Amino acid sequence: MKINKLHHLLNPITRSISTHPLTFIFIIFISHSTITKSFPNPPPIPILPLPTSPQLSWQQSEMALFLHFGTNTFTDSEWGTGHTDPSLFNPISLNATQWLTVAKQNGFSRVIITAKHHDGFCLWPSDYTDYSVKSSRWRNGNGDVIGELSEAADELGVELGIYLSPWDRHEGVYGKTVEYNEYYMAQMTELLTRYGNVKEVWLDGAKGEGEKDMEYYFDNWFSLIHQLQPGAVIFSDAGPDVRWVGDEGGYASTTCWSLFNRSNAAIGGTEPSYSQGGDLLGHDWVPPECDVSIRPGWFWHPSEHPKSAIELLELYYNSVGRNCLLLLNVPPNSSGLISAEDVKVLGEFTNLRRSIFGNNLAKTAIVSASNTRGGYNDTRFTARSILEEGIYTYWAPNKNRSRWEIYLDFQEPVSFNVVQIQEPIQMGQRIIKFHVDVVNEDGVWCEVFRGTTVGYRRILRFQTVKTQNLRLVIDQSRSDPLVAYLGVHLDTVSVIGTTKHNTHNTSSFSNFNGSQVLRQPVYNRTRISSI
């Protein structure tokens, strides 16, 4: 009886085949087998340590403007004494919207301002001191630089960061450990509760020789910052979220890990080489930030002039192009504006970047790989994913392979001298060593670049080549390597082969296919004073 009922549930074609009970059982088995779903392979397992959400946001912003501004702007000095008359502060044309418009138009998605520098003068009306804008002539003592900047940041969609100097040459309780730490944390609380979302808090351990002994309660400060602004990253020599790269020239090491051991670092006492390179065996994710000024000094001085656009491009290659964020100081002048000559240079810098990176020669290439996770039909991990900008799509190989190669066939010979590579860092930083080959005119693979780390972004430069085929070979990786993006570009303005800290990069040939290096004047890095 049950079989007869089942017989009527089957479609007419099935019913016509047979009425024998065993036939029905066979049909049911076949029918169930054909509708069983084939599940895709899951993504590869991330490899620790991993960035937090604020760290990911910070890294993807790539560039930020530093705004050194205060009484030093009006006294033509770098380190104020703490005794300058606050009435001197009077930027009569101050326009925070102009600052942020300049930033946004030139690819800087966040700004960090010196809310208080070493002289102790506060750019907001703090309740805990009169040494601030409320004692100045500006806005008749009713102004608030941080407030105006915060409002402009909200309107223009630019992220806000603040620098509150631990060293204070004005405050009388400085040198009394408990009292000053209470004072500092009270001012930090004002800044982090009055001005909306703060995305970065910038700290250092600067202090002049012969100054009073002072113990900073950094762990207390860090906890307070994360409590009040959980979306903010904290910068210092030793993190906890972002580390100083170890110099003030804007250059990272060619080997640059976001991995780091915070236990091996201390604010004001970290070995520069450790800061520059990071740690392959690091247990913490603490990526590096490169701070450098567009001018010789950090504050605006009427006698100084900005670096050229070519020099800024060189900084970009050696900071953003080496897994770092570029923090470029562009100080407002005594009128309260970013100077016209700085605006001009930043615009030229932007145009240079667009001319180079606005065209990815790989976009029309045929892309393949030595192997693909889930097979070549799994579109989630296909090699062609590397042509899509961003880190959330990526090529992944099959597990436990020792050969990791991606191939580009441009379909016709193309000339280039720049390659950029990105890893999906939300899955961990993996690549230890890699090299790039091209096919020469004799049909032989020839190495053009050998490097170490990649991270969020690695930009490679070498002598111009003309070829139809390129391959990226990953020689060593912490786990199965993943590649999110591969860009191929032609730079006609830079000097190739004269970059600083280039000891890990090698080229196996010169004058490939008769190509020549474009000769341009060599620009020496300007030495800048210490913050």
Side-chain angles (χ1 to χ4, degrees):
M1 185 65 179
K2 290 182 181 179
I3 292 178
N4 288 337
K5 286 183 179 180
L6 182 59
H7 173 231
H8 290 293
L9 293 176
L10 299 175
N11 63 52
I13 296 176
T14 306
R15 289 201 306 266
S16 67
I17 295 175
S18 174
T19 58
H20 194 282
L22 292 179
T23 303
F24 287 122
I25 294 171
F26 177 76
I27 291 171
I28 292 168
F29 174 79
I30 294 297
S31 177
H32 181 267
S33 297
T34 58
I35 64 173
T36 298
K37 187 172 181 179
S38 177
F39 294 101
N41 285 337
I45 193 165
I47 180 170
L48 299 176
L50 299 177
T52 63
S53 179
Q55 287 173 322
L56 275 175
S57 176
W58 170 90
Q59 186 87 65
Q60 290 174 291
S61 63
E62 295 197 352
M63 298 193 301
L65 281 192
F66 215 168
L67 302 169
H68 274 65
F69 191 53
T71 53
N72 292 349
T73 308
F74 298 86
T75 60
D76 201 20
S77 60
E78 284 288 299
W79 281 15
T81 64
H83 303 293
T84 299
D85 186 344
S87 67
L88 288 177
F89 184 82
N90 190 24
I92 57 176
S93 299
L94 187 145
N95 186 342
T97 298
Q98 186 248 7
W99 304 350
L100 298 185
T101 299
V102 170
K104 189 171 184 178
Q105 288 178 345
N106 292 288
F108 296 83
S109 60
R110 67 174 54 191
V111 298
I112 300 173
I113 188 164
T114 54
K116 183 187 77 170
H117 204 252
H118 309 326
D119 60 347
F121 182 80
C122 300
L123 294 182
W124 81 102
S126 174
D127 294 338
Y128 298 94
T129 182
D130 289 329
Y131 199 58
S132 75
V133 288
K134 65 186 177 185
S135 297
S136 72
R137 290 179 292 161
W138 177 65
R139 305 274 199 263
N140 295 318
N142 296 313
D144 185 344
V145 177
I146 308 303
E148 293 188 23
L149 184 62
S150 175
E151 290 179 9
D154 285 342
E155 291 174 5
L156 293 176
V158 177
E159 296 175 342
L160 176 64
I162 59 105
Y163 166 53
L164 186 66
S165 170
W167 182 26
D168 190 322
R169 305 185 77 179
H170 175 83
E171 177 52 43
V173 298
Y174 187 86
K176 300 177 181 179
T177 296
V178 174
E179 289 86 343
Y180 182 73
N181 276 278
E182 290 176 342
Y183 173 81
Y184 185 90
M185 293 180 72
Q187 289 198 321
M188 182 67 78
T189 299
E190 289 181 324
L191 290 168
L192 299 185
T193 57
R194 293 182 181 178
Y195 300 109
N197 289 329
V198 174
K199 291 298 185 180
E200 184 164 351
V201 175
W202 210 90
L203 303 172
D204 61 21
K207 188 172 68 171
E209 292 183 10
E211 284 293 318
K212 303 172 184 176
D213 289 335
M214 183 71 228
E215 180 185 355
Y216 302 134
Y217 291 171
F218 284 117
D219 288 340
N220 297 62
W221 300 1
F222 296 163
S223 295
L224 177 71
I225 294 165
H226 282 150
Q227 179 188 90
L228 298 178
Q229 292 284 347
V233 295
I234 302 172
F235 167 97
S236 79
D237 294 21
D241 304 310
V242 178
R243 75 179 192 265
W244 184 43
V245 78
D247 65 48
E248 293 176 348
Y251 283 76
S253 172
T254 53
T255 296
C256 191
W257 290 99
S258 293
L259 283 59
F260 197 69
N261 274 327
R262 290 184 56 207
S263 58
N264 292 346
I267 298 177
T270 304
E271 176 63 35
S273 61
Y274 189 68
S275 299
Q276 289 165 357
D279 193 337
L280 167 62
L281 303 177
H283 298 294
D284 305 305
W285 186 276
V286 189
E289 185 171 276
C290 293
D291 60 318
V292 61
S293 185
I294 196 171
R295 290 164 171 258
W298 290 90
F299 286 87
W300 177 83
H301 305 286
S303 62
E304 294 181 350
H305 302 283
K307 293 175 171 63
S308 70
I310 291 287
E311 289 175 290
L312 295 184
L313 180 63
E314 190 72 16
L315 289 171
Y316 180 84
Y317 276 127
N318 291 286
S319 57
V320 175
R322 292 180 177 176
N323 189 38
C324 296
L325 181 140
L326 173 60
L327 178 59
L328 180 66
N329 180 63
V330 182
N333 60 28
S334 58
S335 295
L337 300 171
I338 293 178
S339 298
E341 58 181 339
D342 294 15
V343 174
K344 180 176 181 293
V345 167
L346 287 170
E348 293 169 349
F349 170 49
T350 298
N351 289 335
L352 286 179
R353 297 199 322 276
R354 287 172 179 164
S355 71
I356 297 165
F357 300 106
N359 179 27
N360 182 5
L361 298 171
K363 274 197 169 181
T364 57
I366 298 172
V367 188
S368 59
S370 52
N371 58 84
T372 299
R373 185 180 180 88
Y376 292 101
N377 294 325
D378 194 330
T379 57
R380 296 169 305 147
F381 307 119
T382 178
R384 191 155 185 86
S385 297
I386 67 170
L387 301 183
E388 183 176 340
E389 292 193 50
I391 61 173
Y392 293 105
T393 58
Y394 52 87
W395 165 77
N398 277 327
K399 291 187 287 186
N400 302 319
R401 299 297 176 94
S402 58
R403 183 168 168 257
W404 305 305
E405 298 176 356
I406 296 176
Y407 300 88
L408 296 182
D409 180 351
F410 299 105
Q411 304 182 71
E412 63 179 5
V414 296
S415 296
F416 57 90
N417 51 22
V418 174
V419 170
Q420 59 173 322
I421 311 168
Q422 287 187 276
E423 290 185 84
I425 58 171
Q426 72 277 11
M427 305 293 288
Q429 188 176 355
R430 297 166 178 248
I431 297 174
I432 299 174
K433 294 180 181 178
F434 69 92
H435 68 274
V436 175
D437 298 334
V438 298
V439 173
N440 67 13
E441 56 192 2
D442 297 322
V444 177
W445 285 108
C446 195
E447 183 179 291
V448 296
F449 191 97
R450 177 172 293 275
T452 51
T453 49
V454 174
Y456 176 71
R457 189 180 302 280
R458 183 70 188 272
I459 303 178
L460 327 173
R461 290 187 292 168
F462 42 85
Q463 293 186 0
T464 303
V465 297
K466 188 173 184 179
T467 184
Q468 184 173 320
N469 298 96
L470 174 150
R471 71 180 175 190
L472 169 64
V473 182
I474 299 165
D475 302 299
Q476 188 177 356
S477 184
R478 295 174 63 228
S479 183
D480 295 330
L482 308 174
V483 177
Y485 183 65
L486 189 66
V488 178
H489 312 279
L490 180 63
D491 178 350
T492 61
V493 296
S494 293
V495 181
I496 308 298
T498 60
T499 57
K500 180 178 172 64
H501 299 165
N502 215 29
T503 56
H504 291 87
N505 301 337
T506 61
S507 178
S508 61
F509 62 86
S510 60
N511 294 325
F512 179 82
N513 283 347
S515 63
Q516 299 292 326
V517 180
L518 182 67
R519 300 298 178 187
Q520 295 283 349
V522 177
Y523 294 87
N524 293 322
R525 177 167 63 86
T526 304
R527 187 174 182 181
I528 56 179
S529 60
S530 173
I531 293 183

mmCIF file of all heavy atoms in Angstrom, residues 404-419:
data_model
loop_
_atom_site.group_PDB
_atom_site.id
_atom_site.type_symbol
_atom_site.label_atom_id
_atom_site.label_comp_id
_atom_site.label_asym_id
_atom_site.label_seq_id
_atom_site.Cartn_x
_atom_site.Cartn_y
_atom_site.Cartn_z
ATOM 1 N N TRP A 404 54.194 28.027 -6.546
ATOM 2 C CA TRP A 404 53.185 29.083 -6.543
ATOM 3 C C TRP A 404 53.558 30.125 -7.593
ATOM 4 O O TRP A 404 54.484 30.919 -7.381
ATOM 5 C CB TRP A 404 53.104 29.741 -5.168
ATOM 6 C CG TRP A 404 52.854 28.801 -4.025
ATOM 7 C CD1 TRP A 404 51.824 27.920 -3.894
ATOM 8 C CD2 TRP A 404 53.636 28.658 -2.836
ATOM 9 N NE1 TRP A 404 51.909 27.246 -2.709
ATOM 10 C CE2 TRP A 404 53.020 27.678 -2.027
ATOM 11 C CE3 TRP A 404 54.798 29.267 -2.360
ATOM 12 C CZ2 TRP A 404 53.515 27.292 -0.782
ATOM 13 C CZ3 TRP A 404 55.310 28.885 -1.121
ATOM 14 C CH2 TRP A 404 54.672 27.912 -0.357
ATOM 15 N N GLU A 405 52.848 30.125 -8.693
ATOM 16 C CA GLU A 405 53.169 31.033 -9.786
ATOM 17 C C GLU A 405 51.891 31.595 -10.410
ATOM 18 O O GLU A 405 50.901 30.881 -10.552
ATOM 19 C CB GLU A 405 53.991 30.317 -10.862
ATOM 20 C CG GLU A 405 55.330 29.798 -10.356
ATOM 21 C CD GLU A 405 56.097 29.000 -11.402
ATOM 22 O OE1 GLU A 405 55.539 28.782 -12.504
ATOM 23 O OE2 GLU A 405 57.234 28.594 -11.126
ATOM 24 N N ILE A 406 51.960 32.879 -10.754
ATOM 25 C CA ILE A 406 50.881 33.536 -11.491
ATOM 26 C C ILE A 406 51.472 34.062 -12.790
ATOM 27 O O ILE A 406 52.552 34.675 -12.797
ATOM 28 C CB ILE A 406 50.267 34.696 -10.674
ATOM 29 C CG1 ILE A 406 49.600 34.149 -9.415
ATOM 30 C CG2 ILE A 406 49.265 35.485 -11.499
ATOM 31 C CD1 ILE A 406 49.058 35.215 -8.487
ATOM 32 N N TYR A 407 50.742 33.847 -13.880
ATOM 33 C CA TYR A 407 51.230 34.216 -15.202
ATOM 34 C C TYR A 407 50.324 35.272 -15.830
ATOM 35 O O TYR A 407 49.090 35.191 -15.729
ATOM 36 C CB TYR A 407 51.255 32.993 -16.129
ATOM 37 C CG TYR A 407 52.127 31.861 -15.650
ATOM 38 C CD1 TYR A 407 51.618 30.872 -14.800
ATOM 39 C CD2 TYR A 407 53.456 31.766 -16.050
ATOM 40 C CE1 TYR A 407 52.410 29.834 -14.357
ATOM 41 C CE2 TYR A 407 54.265 30.720 -15.615
ATOM 42 C CZ TYR A 407 53.733 29.758 -14.773
ATOM 43 O OH TYR A 407 54.514 28.725 -14.330
ATOM 44 N N LEU A 408 50.955 36.230 -16.497
ATOM 45 C CA LEU A 408 50.230 37.219 -17.290
ATOM 46 C C LEU A 408 50.694 37.116 -18.733
ATOM 47 O O LEU A 408 51.905 37.168 -19.009
ATOM 48 C CB LEU A 408 50.490 38.642 -16.790
ATOM 49 C CG LEU A 408 50.025 39.022 -15.385
ATOM 50 C CD1 LEU A 408 50.350 40.495 -15.121
ATOM 51 C CD2 LEU A 408 48.535 38.778 -15.210
ATOM 52 N N ASP A 409 49.745 36.980 -19.648
ATOM 53 C CA ASP A 409 50.020 37.059 -21.083
ATOM 54 C C ASP A 409 49.321 38.320 -21.586
ATOM 55 O O ASP A 409 48.097 38.378 -21.661
ATOM 56 C CB ASP A 409 49.487 35.815 -21.793
ATOM 57 C CG ASP A 409 49.736 35.843 -23.301
ATOM 58 O OD1 ASP A 409 50.173 36.894 -23.822
ATOM 59 O OD2 ASP A 409 49.479 34.817 -23.962
ATOM 60 N N PHE A 410 50.124 39.354 -21.907
ATOM 61 C CA PHE A 410 49.554 40.639 -22.323
ATOM 62 C C PHE A 410 48.981 40.587 -23.737
ATOM 63 O O PHE A 410 48.367 41.553 -24.184
ATOM 64 C CB PHE A 410 50.624 41.730 -22.238
ATOM 65 C CG PHE A 410 51.177 41.935 -20.854
ATOM 66 C CD1 PHE A 410 52.446 41.472 -20.518
ATOM 67 C CD2 PHE A 410 50.427 42.573 -19.880
ATOM 68 C CE1 PHE A 410 52.958 41.654 -19.240
ATOM 69 C CE2 PHE A 410 50.929 42.754 -18.595
ATOM 70 C CZ PHE A 410 52.202 42.295 -18.278
ATOM 71 N N GLN A 411 49.210 39.491 -24.466
ATOM 72 C CA GLN A 411 48.718 39.254 -25.826
ATOM 73 C C GLN A 411 49.450 40.070 -26.884
ATOM 74 O O GLN A 411 49.249 39.860 -28.077
ATOM 75 C CB GLN A 411 47.201 39.489 -25.922
ATOM 76 C CG GLN A 411 46.407 38.648 -24.926
ATOM 77 C CD GLN A 411 44.922 38.840 -25.039
ATOM 78 O OE1 GLN A 411 44.310 38.383 -26.024
ATOM 79 N NE2 GLN A 411 44.340 39.525 -24.070
ATOM 80 N N GLU A 412 50.276 40.998 -26.438
ATOM 81 C CA GLU A 412 51.163 41.740 -27.326
ATOM 82 C C GLU A 412 52.258 42.346 -26.454
ATOM 83 O O GLU A 412 52.065 42.524 -25.241
ATOM 84 C CB GLU A 412 50.410 42.832 -28.085
ATOM 85 C CG GLU A 412 49.805 43.898 -27.204
ATOM 86 C CD GLU A 412 49.086 44.967 -28.008
ATOM 87 O OE1 GLU A 412 48.980 44.812 -29.240
ATOM 88 O OE2 GLU A 412 48.635 45.950 -27.402
ATOM 89 N N PRO A 413 53.400 42.676 -27.012
ATOM 90 C CA PRO A 413 54.472 43.255 -26.201
ATOM 91 C C PRO A 413 54.068 44.606 -25.603
ATOM 92 O O PRO A 413 53.490 45.449 -26.282
ATOM 93 C CB PRO A 413 55.625 43.420 -27.191
ATOM 94 C CG PRO A 413 55.345 42.420 -28.268
ATOM 95 C CD PRO A 413 53.851 42.391 -28.401
ATOM 96 N N VAL A 414 54.344 44.778 -24.306
ATOM 97 C CA VAL A 414 54.076 46.041 -23.618
ATOM 98 C C VAL A 414 55.324 46.455 -22.845
ATOM 99 O O VAL A 414 56.137 45.613 -22.441
ATOM 100 C CB VAL A 414 52.871 45.939 -22.661
ATOM 101 C CG1 VAL A 414 51.587 45.651 -23.421
ATOM 102 C CG2 VAL A 414 53.112 44.867 -21.595
ATOM 103 N N SER A 415 55.484 47.760 -22.637
ATOM 104 C CA SER A 415 56.625 48.286 -21.888
ATOM 105 C C SER A 415 56.188 48.702 -20.496
ATOM 106 O O SER A 415 55.145 49.349 -20.342
ATOM 107 C CB SER A 415 57.231 49.486 -22.627
ATOM 108 O OG SER A 415 57.749 49.104 -23.882
ATOM 109 N N PHE A 416 56.971 48.347 -19.480
ATOM 110 C CA PHE A 416 56.648 48.717 -18.110
ATOM 111 C C PHE A 416 57.896 48.667 -17.254
ATOM 112 O O PHE A 416 58.904 48.045 -17.617
ATOM 113 C CB PHE A 416 55.554 47.813 -17.522
ATOM 114 C CG PHE A 416 55.881 46.347 -17.542
ATOM 115 C CD1 PHE A 416 56.542 45.745 -16.470
ATOM 116 C CD2 PHE A 416 55.520 45.550 -18.620
ATOM 117 C CE1 PHE A 416 56.842 44.395 -16.477
ATOM 118 C CE2 PHE A 416 55.828 44.190 -18.639
ATOM 119 C CZ PHE A 416 56.482 43.609 -17.569
ATOM 120 N N ASN A 417 57.841 49.310 -16.094
ATOM 121 C CA ASN A 417 58.957 49.282 -15.146
ATOM 122 C C ASN A 417 58.486 49.327 -13.693
ATOM 123 O O ASN A 417 59.290 49.513 -12.783
ATOM 124 C CB ASN A 417 59.940 50.435 -15.413
ATOM 125 C CG ASN A 417 59.246 51.784 -15.497
ATOM 126 O OD1 ASN A 417 58.139 51.960 -14.990
ATOM 127 N ND2 ASN A 417 59.894 52.746 -16.139
ATOM 128 N N VAL A 418 57.191 49.168 -13.490
ATOM 129 C CA VAL A 418 56.608 49.177 -12.144
ATOM 130 C C VAL A 418 55.608 48.033 -12.023
ATOM 131 O O VAL A 418 54.770 47.844 -12.922
ATOM 132 C CB VAL A 418 55.900 50.514 -11.843
ATOM 133 C CG1 VAL A 418 55.167 50.449 -10.497
ATOM 134 C CG2 VAL A 418 56.884 51.675 -11.846
ATOM 135 N N VAL A 419 55.707 47.277 -10.948
ATOM 136 C CA VAL A 419 54.710 46.247 -10.630
ATOM 137 C C VAL A 419 54.300 46.444 -9.174
ATOM 138 O O VAL A 419 55.155 46.645 -8.305
ATOM 139 C CB VAL A 419 55.281 44.829 -10.836
ATOM 140 C CG1 VAL A 419 54.321 43.775 -10.268
ATOM 141 C CG2 VAL A 419 55.536 44.559 -12.313
#
